Amino acid sequence: MDHPLAWFWRFLWLLPLLHLPPRGAHAFFPNFWSRTMAFTWDSVTHQDMTEEAILNVTLRIFVEMQHPNKGKRIREEDFKGRTLLADDIFAAFFGPEVSAKRFRGAIAQVANANAAMDFTNTTRDDPVLHFDSELIHSTNSWLLQTRKEILQAVHSEQYVIARGKLGQLLHTLQDFYSHSNWIELGHRKIHPHLLQPGHEIKSIAEAGVRTCTDCSDWTCRGNLLEGLLEKGLLTTGFYGAQPEKPIGKCSHGGRFDDSRHREPRGGINKDSSSFLFSPHNYLHREAAAVAQEASIHFLEKLWREIKSKPFMRLLDISPATGLSFVVDTTGSMGEEISAAKRQAWEIIRARRGTPQEPDFYLLVPFNDPEFGPVHKTSDPDEFWKILNTISPLKGGDEPEMCLSALQLALQNSPPYSEIFVFTDASAKDAHLKNSVEALIQEQKCKVTFLITEDPSRTRVKRETLSPDRFNLYISLAHSSGGQIIFTDNENIQRVSEIIGESSASSVTLFRHQKGNIFSPKGSQRRRRKEAAQVEDHTFWIDSLVDKVVLTIQGGIRAFEMQNPAGVRQASSSASGPLAKIQSIGSIYRAVLSPPLHAGKWTLTLQSQGHYSVHVQGQSTFDFLYYFAVPKDGRHPGLFMMDSSPVQGLPTYLVVMATGLKRSPEASSVQLKAVNLEERGGSLKELKLEGGANRTDLLVAKLPPTLMTDSSFSVVLRAQDGDGRKVERAAPQATTVEASLLELSTDAPVFPGRPVTIAWKVTNPGSPKQYDLRVSSVPGFPVNISSSRLQLDFNQTATGLITLNVPDAADPGSVITLTLQASLLHPSGDPSFAHLQLLVMPLPLVQNPVSSPVCNVTSVGGFCGPPRTPCHDQRWTATLRIWDKAGVRSVHVEGGAVVAHHADGLAESVAYTSDCCSQQARLVVTNLLGQKYRCQVASAPPALTVKPRASPPEVLRKPVAAAGTAVSWGWVLMVSMATGWMMCVT
């Protein structure tokens, strides 16, 4: 709950907010924190509309589906008048014992991708992406292209990419109803032709049509001209100075829009319920309602088009997890490969046709020097066929390319996955440790290693290898929240049964490691002669946990458990009052018997050296989290970081609790705080703060004292209805970074065409020198604009990366781009940023009717007698551009950007120059990244240029894609007196 004076401090924050400089476009506020930052408690945000739309469509899916086991359906009327919650909908269909954690995570991915449109460098200032500046035709073209990308990603089973594209599309779709005058025209239903393939949006106000009258108040009523209503013409507001607002056009409006000062003053946006931000704030609720209905409409049409199963995979509407294997295929790995096959078959057989059936299967083989390829499918039969092709190959000497294969698995597994690595060799590619750790933290994946150590195996010169060679695996398992299991040839089949215990409901209750738990066989025999040490450990089992399993391995002679009631059981008792205990080589597995006694449990160990303890249970009460930086100004809100927190950068921890409404016990849980815990103890306890009128979504501000050598785990602290402690620890450890790296692009990726990616490096701390390196998987040619960088305190650098995509790149394949910033001075661990790019099919060759056309409509001014100084005279050529794909930008070849304005279904460009240059070549880039050139020239003073409004049909030519651009041919040719244009490659 907020502090009683919290509202006062937020009001003080709002005062300087009113004096911040304007930048970029504006939209519905991005997310829940926007209401807190902008003091607009009753505004509807992009996050609200997106989450509500997804939940509505999910409910409709469940209403139409029959539960595969229970044979029942849920009824939509049971949820009438109730706030839809993901946990409640999941519990109604799958049952209260099933976790909605992955579904909640998928919703958050879509919502955060939506909000990021207001934050990232390549999207926040682009009027096309926000339905600004009357660019309605171009924006609708962008929406249709993004829809194609979503469908391609789903068809290729690249669901994480599809979620990001879906969030972007929903943002722009929602903006239409706030930024246009659709609501003011009296409509309370969605636009029938918006985002509809094969339909054009017509009745758009052309460039010369005035749309607004002057308004000097914060709230503007009746400032849209009557002629728009009479003719049903659509318009949208202009924001800022790019492009500049033409005379008579409407502004977006609000405190941060500089164009509102230029007549006609005021604005028409309905982004919020506050007059400070939205001149048409009185229509905010109506605009939000229709925008949400448009979101539901698109999602439902998408569901009907791709069918239920792919749609449910798109949004992780499933209680199941995937099955991911990374398998060493060298000659000594026969037993491990057999164990992996056996466990995969058991899972496929037992879960097929049930809600727990894995929604994807992934396999990455490796040896030395090879690793990969990635085998990924949602078809269990196909996966079984692939797995059966894996067999031990020749070779057997250490080390192997384990981390390269694990990196591929992390890049191709969805968030919150658990990856199982089978090997008996150390890593040859240990230099990838930092990159793998960055991916683990970004993807929030667990990695569990099953390592066999048997002197009878065929590995070459095993006895000369260091006993600490597996420490790298131990570190990765610990930092990811997974386990590391050392076993032998005899026991690998039994030990691998832990794979079947992995589920979305798994929670870690306790873990402890003493020293290096791997020991060669000879040292184990020596330790048996040493005296045992007695060590006690305590762990807490709360009232919301069941199916608890203890895994103890290493130098343990015996142990004893005691529950809160004082009941004891020794390890010598295989079946006792507390648990069933298995001894598998040097591993003990204790499965606690129900009903579990909530409270403090004690584990007493007789140890002879190093060991580890891992306690895991099942619970629907858990939490998701991410780190975010506050963004103020025109888009107040929290911007989710893909990376860990950065030293010196103000950062919030966002916590989303799951399973709070499932049972009387869970519904009474009160969230208290989060604790940042190091290995040596507590680093800092942070107070949780609300801001979304929700009990399951909270934030905490990280302390500014976190240093780059800090590594911590996030622990959520709560109390149940009886006042007893409830704790959940995030599986992955978090490392504080030295710098913030960002990658973004605004154009689709096609075979045979280069793609440009923007990079940004922010240094909030002391001066640093960097070495920048970029790589891609697959290994396509890639170049970065700068490889060395020096940044002072709080300084930022930007640049471009060029990726050359070959002609042979398969549509539907994914290119993973990695930017690594290594510190040259001072020394430190590198920082990483990753970007996944989906390769799209090449656009179809356009026919003559739909080919882009440039048309010079007028040439004004003239260049006089030769003796007149050329710089004292000026000429202007006006062009209209028809491009079905929509225009992204226009610039002089090798020179400055030229403003382009919407003009109905076309776009107009006015190019002005002095007479020292009497012709120019303009480069037009459309929303598909295609470029074509238009040449213009001044008119002789003796002739008059007649304007032309539309392109002559007979002069249109087809477009043929070739090389890195588009070969247009000659599409228009007139005399110098009327201005001429040609399009060339």
Side-chain angles (χ1 to χ4, degrees):
M1 181 178 293
D2 291 354
H3 189 277
L5 292 179
W7 66 269
F8 176 72
W9 299 115
R10 292 188 187 117
F11 178 72
L12 292 182
W13 173 89
L14 188 63
L15 294 179
L17 179 68
L18 298 179
H19 298 282
L20 289 173
R23 290 174 59 193
H26 203 47
F28 283 114
F29 282 171
N31 51 33
F32 74 99
W33 199 242
S34 307
R35 288 189 290 262
T36 302
M37 296 182 71
F39 217 56
T40 58
W41 305 110
D42 58 346
S43 291
V44 181
T45 69
H46 279 294
Q47 179 181 4
D48 297 328
M49 291 182 284
T50 300
E51 292 181 349
E52 187 73 13
I54 291 173
L55 293 178
N56 268 277
V57 176
T58 302
L59 178 59
R60 294 177 188 180
I61 291 174
F62 286 164
V63 167
E64 293 189 14
M65 284 182 63
Q66 186 169 310
H67 191 282
N69 292 343
K70 301 175 182 178
K72 67 174 184 178
R73 300 177 187 267
I74 64 174
R75 301 184 308 166
E76 194 166 2
E77 53 265 30
D78 292 340
F79 291 85
K80 292 288 186 183
R82 293 169 52 184
T83 300
L84 290 181
L85 298 174
D87 291 326
D88 287 351
I89 297 174
F90 243 58
F93 186 77
F94 291 114
E97 71 282 356
V98 172
S99 172
K101 182 176 179 179
R102 292 177 64 239
F103 178 45
R104 292 282 302 278
I107 295 174
Q109 284 178 286
V110 177
N112 283 317
N114 184 320
M117 293 283 278
D118 285 334
F119 299 135
T120 61
N121 293 336
T122 55
T123 59
R124 68 183 179 191
D125 298 333
D126 190 340
V128 170
L129 303 183
H130 301 278
F131 267 112
D132 287 329
S133 306
E134 287 189 339
L135 294 170
I136 297 172
H137 167 69
S138 290
T139 305
N140 192 48
S141 297
W142 181 88
L143 285 172
L144 291 169
Q145 173 62 28
T146 306
R147 175 185 175 275
K148 292 179 182 178
E149 294 178 38
I150 294 170
L151 292 173
Q152 179 65 64
V154 170
H155 177 73
S156 305
E157 298 188 345
Q158 300 295 340
Y159 297 115
V160 174
I161 293 177
R163 285 173 212 149
K165 297 291 183 183
L166 178 59
Q168 294 174 338
L169 180 145
L170 291 177
H171 181 104
T172 303
L173 176 63
Q174 291 159 2
D175 273 355
F176 172 79
Y177 296 97
S178 172
H179 294 186
S180 76
N181 65 327
W182 179 255
I183 299 297
E184 286 85 347
L185 289 175
H187 300 293
R188 294 300 181 266
K189 299 291 184 181
I190 66 173
H191 194 296
H193 296 153
L194 180 62
L195 191 47
Q196 298 299 316
H199 294 271
E200 287 282 1
I201 299 179
K202 299 181 179 179
S203 300
I204 301 172
E206 295 187 351
V209 176
R210 290 177 176 265
T211 56
C212 267
T213 185
D214 196 50
C215 169
S216 59
D217 296 328
W218 285 102
T219 296
C220 294
R221 296 178 182 270
N223 61 327
L224 284 158
L225 291 175
E226 288 294 329
L228 297 180
L229 183 59
E230 293 170 1
K231 299 178 182 179
L233 295 180
L234 276 175
T235 185
T236 65
F238 284 72
Y239 193 98
Q242 296 294 330
E244 184 176 331
K245 183 178 76 171
I247 295 173
K249 292 295 186 181
C250 299
S251 290
H252 176 90
R255 172 62 187 87
F256 300 107
D257 177 14
D258 221 17
S259 78
R260 81 186 197 279
H261 297 299
R262 183 177 180 181
E263 291 190 4
R265 293 172 295 175
I268 63 170
N269 91 73
K270 298 161 282 294
D271 291 338
S272 75
S273 59
S274 169
F275 65 86
L276 294 174
F277 299 97
S278 302
H280 283 199
N281 57 84
Y282 52 91
L283 292 174
H284 168 70
R285 284 284 168 180
E286 289 84 350
V290 182
Q292 181 173 303
E293 185 56 39
S295 304
I296 294 172
H297 179 75
F298 175 79
L299 287 171
E300 183 157 5
K301 286 196 68 175
L302 180 65
W303 159 38
R304 304 292 183 186
E305 182 170 352
I306 66 177
K307 309 305 179 186
S308 292
K309 202 164 189 178
F311 187 86
M312 293 174 74
R313 286 177 177 149
L314 167 63
L315 294 172
D316 272 344
I317 308 174
S318 166
T321 58
L323 188 61
S324 298
F325 287 162
V326 176
V327 181
D328 186 343
T329 59
T330 44
S332 60
M333 288 292 295
E335 287 298 326
E336 290 86 341
I337 294 173
S338 295
K341 290 180 179 179
R342 177 184 173 185
Q343 287 306 311
W345 175 248
E346 287 295 324
I347 290 172
I348 291 171
R349 181 189 60 79
R351 301 184 185 180
R352 186 193 293 267
T354 73
Q356 296 297 335
E357 180 178 352
D359 52 5
F360 77 93
Y361 302 85
L362 182 140
L363 171 66
V364 184
F366 71 94
N367 48 68
D368 180 27
E370 297 178 348
F371 58 93
V374 176
H375 303 284
K376 185 177 180 182
T377 179
S378 59
D379 184 344
D381 295 324
E382 181 182 347
F383 179 72
W384 182 243
K385 289 178 183 177
I386 294 170
L387 195 57
N388 272 330
T389 65
I390 302 297
S391 59
L393 305 175
K394 293 181 179 180
D397 56 322
E398 286 197 58
E400 308 291 350
M401 303 295 286
C402 181
L403 294 197
S404 297
L406 177 56
Q407 183 172 253
L408 279 179
L410 287 163
Q411 289 170 344
N412 288 274
S413 294
Y416 314 110
S417 298
E418 183 163 7
I419 299 169
F420 296 93
V421 182
F422 291 81
T423 187
D424 63 353
S426 54
K428 184 176 184 177
D429 44 8
H431 64 279
L432 293 176
K433 175 179 180 289
N434 293 116
S435 178
V436 168
E437 284 184 330
L439 280 168
I440 286 171
Q441 293 183 27
E442 182 179 321
Q443 294 289 87
K444 294 182 171 57
C445 288
K446 291 182 183 179
V447 181
T448 290
F449 292 86
L450 292 94
I451 299 177
T452 47
E453 168 60 18
D454 193 331
S456 67
R457 305 289 284 278
T458 57
R459 286 285 183 186
V460 176
K461 296 183 179 179
R462 170 95 51 192
E463 66 278 2
T464 65
L465 297 173
S466 170
D468 64 357
R469 66 189 183 277
F470 293 124
N471 281 2
L472 174 57
Y473 298 159
I474 294 171
S475 173
L476 290 174
H478 185 273
S479 64
S480 72
Q483 300 185 59
I484 184 159
I485 306 293
F486 289 98
T487 185
D488 53 27
N489 187 30
E490 181 181 349
N491 294 300
I492 181 62
Q493 295 283 356
R494 296 174 65 192
V495 167
S496 63
E497 293 175 3
I498 69 166
I499 297 170
E501 297 172 0
S502 175
S503 79
S505 303
S506 299
V507 294
T508 300
L509 302 175
F510 176 79
R511 59 180 176 174
H512 176 80
Q513 180 178 313
K514 180 181 179 181
N516 180 4
I517 60 175
F518 167 71
S519 300
K521 294 287 185 179
S523 63
Q524 293 178 14
R525 287 193 295 269
R526 288 192 299 271
R527 284 173 180 168
R528 291 195 187 102
K529 301 177 182 180
E530 299 174 0
Q533 296 181 346
V534 177
E535 299 183 40
D536 287 337
H537 298 283
T538 60
F539 59 92
W540 190 271
I541 296 179
D542 59 68
S543 57
L544 307 179
V545 174
D546 58 9
K547 300 179 182 178
V548 175
V549 179
L550 283 71
T551 303
I552 306 167
Q553 64 173 321
I556 299 296
R557 176 180 293 180
F559 68 90
E560 182 182 74
M561 296 180 296
Q562 177 179 312
N563 73 4
V567 179
R568 299 171 182 266
Q569 181 179 340
S571 56
S572 57
S573 176
S575 182
L578 299 182
K580 294 184 183 299
I581 301 174
Q582 286 181 302
S583 177
I584 311 171
S586 62
I587 301 171
Y588 287 101
R589 299 263 294 159
V591 181
L592 300 191
S593 303
L596 293 175
H597 199 124
K600 184 170 73 174
W601 287 61
T602 302
L603 179 65
T604 302
L605 303 173
Q606 296 181 34
S607 69
Q608 292 177 299
H610 301 162
Y611 64 88
S612 72
V613 179
H614 188 275
V615 183
Q616 178 175 289
Q618 303 287 317
S619 177
T620 56
F621 173 68
D622 202 354
F623 74 102
L624 301 166
Y625 72 97
Y626 60 87
F627 299 101
V629 292
K631 296 284 187 177
D632 53 19
R634 72 264 182 218
H635 295 131
L638 286 177
F639 176 35
M640 186 188 79
M641 304 167 64
D642 290 329
S643 69
S644 299
V646 176
Q647 180 183 349
L649 194 66
T651 305
Y652 283 83
L653 173 69
V654 181
V655 173
M656 297 176 287
T658 65
L660 284 179
K661 299 289 185 181
R662 295 301 182 80
S663 64
E665 295 85 0
S667 62
S668 61
V669 170
Q670 293 184 348
L671 307 181
K672 294 295 184 182
V674 288
N675 199 47
L676 309 184
E677 292 191 356
E678 299 178 299
R679 285 197 178 187
S682 175
L683 181 66
K684 182 75 173 179
E685 183 171 283
L686 307 177
K687 180 184 176 183
L688 289 168
E689 183 180 359
N693 298 321
R694 287 168 52 176
T695 58
D696 63 337
L697 188 59
L698 302 164
V699 297
K701 188 173 183 180
L702 295 185
T705 54
L706 290 176
M707 306 299 288
T708 52
D709 57 354
S710 300
S711 180
F712 59 87
S713 296
V714 179
V715 179
L716 177 63
R717 292 185 169 172
Q719 285 184 347
D720 65 15
D722 295 327
R724 295 174 298 188
K725 179 175 70 174
V726 176
E727 287 189 351
R728 293 290 180 269
Q732 294 77 29
T734 297
T735 303
V736 180
E737 303 284 346
S739 309
L740 177 63
L741 276 61
E742 299 174 68
L743 294 172
S744 57
T745 186
D746 59 0
V749 179
F750 298 107
R753 295 183 183 172
V755 59
T756 301
I757 298 98
W759 60 263
K760 180 180 178 183
V761 179
T762 302
N763 172 37
S766 58
K768 295 180 179 67
Q769 294 179 2
Y770 302 89
D771 174 55
L772 299 183
R773 297 184 183 181
V774 63
S775 61
S776 74
V777 177
F780 297 153
V782 59
N783 297 296
I784 189 167
S785 56
S786 176
S787 60
R788 292 296 174 96
L789 197 62
Q790 181 165 340
L791 294 179
D792 291 331
F793 170 73
N794 208 25
Q795 196 172 16
T796 293
T798 59
L800 297 176
I801 294 168
T802 302
L803 175 69
N804 293 299
V805 183
D807 293 328
D810 292 327
S813 62
V814 172
I815 304 168
T816 301
L817 199 73
T818 301
L819 175 63
Q820 175 178 332
S822 300
L823 284 173
L824 299 176
H825 181 78
S827 60
D829 290 336
S831 299
F832 297 88
H834 304 93
L835 181 67
Q836 289 194 313
L837 304 170
L838 179 72
V839 180
M840 291 292 294
L842 280 168
L844 296 176
V845 175
Q846 293 174 306
N847 58 48
V849 176
S850 61
S851 299
V853 170
C854 295
N855 181 25
V856 178
T857 58
S858 66
V859 178
F862 62 91
C863 297
R867 296 179 181 180
T868 306
C870 61
H871 54 77
D872 289 342
Q873 303 175 71
R874 306 187 72 79
W875 62 278
T876 298
T878 303
L879 294 86
R880 273 192 115 197
I881 303 172
W882 285 263
D883 191 327
K884 190 173 182 180
V887 175
R888 167 71 69 191
S889 64
V890 181
H891 68 272
V892 180
E893 188 170 50
V897 173
V898 181
H900 60 102
H901 296 275
D903 192 2
L905 295 178
E907 304 211 18
S908 63
V909 177
Y911 173 75
T912 301
S913 172
D914 61 36
C915 288
C916 299
S917 175
Q918 297 189 31
Q919 62 181 28
R921 184 176 286 181
L922 305 182
V923 179
V924 181
T925 304
N926 68 14
L927 294 176
L928 296 179
Q930 298 169 319
K931 299 178 187 294
Y932 48 96
R933 294 168 176 83
C934 306
Q935 190 158 325
V936 295
S938 65
L943 297 177
T944 302
V945 176
K946 295 181 180 180
R948 185 181 307 203
S950 60
E953 294 290 336
V954 295
L955 296 177
R956 298 189 179 193
K957 297 293 182 184
V959 177
T964 60
V966 179
S967 180
W968 297 99
W970 295 95
V971 296
L972 183 62
M973 192 171 186
V974 294
S975 69
M976 291 289 289
T978 60
W980 56 278
M981 182 283 292
M982 63 181 174
C983 298
V984 295
T985 301

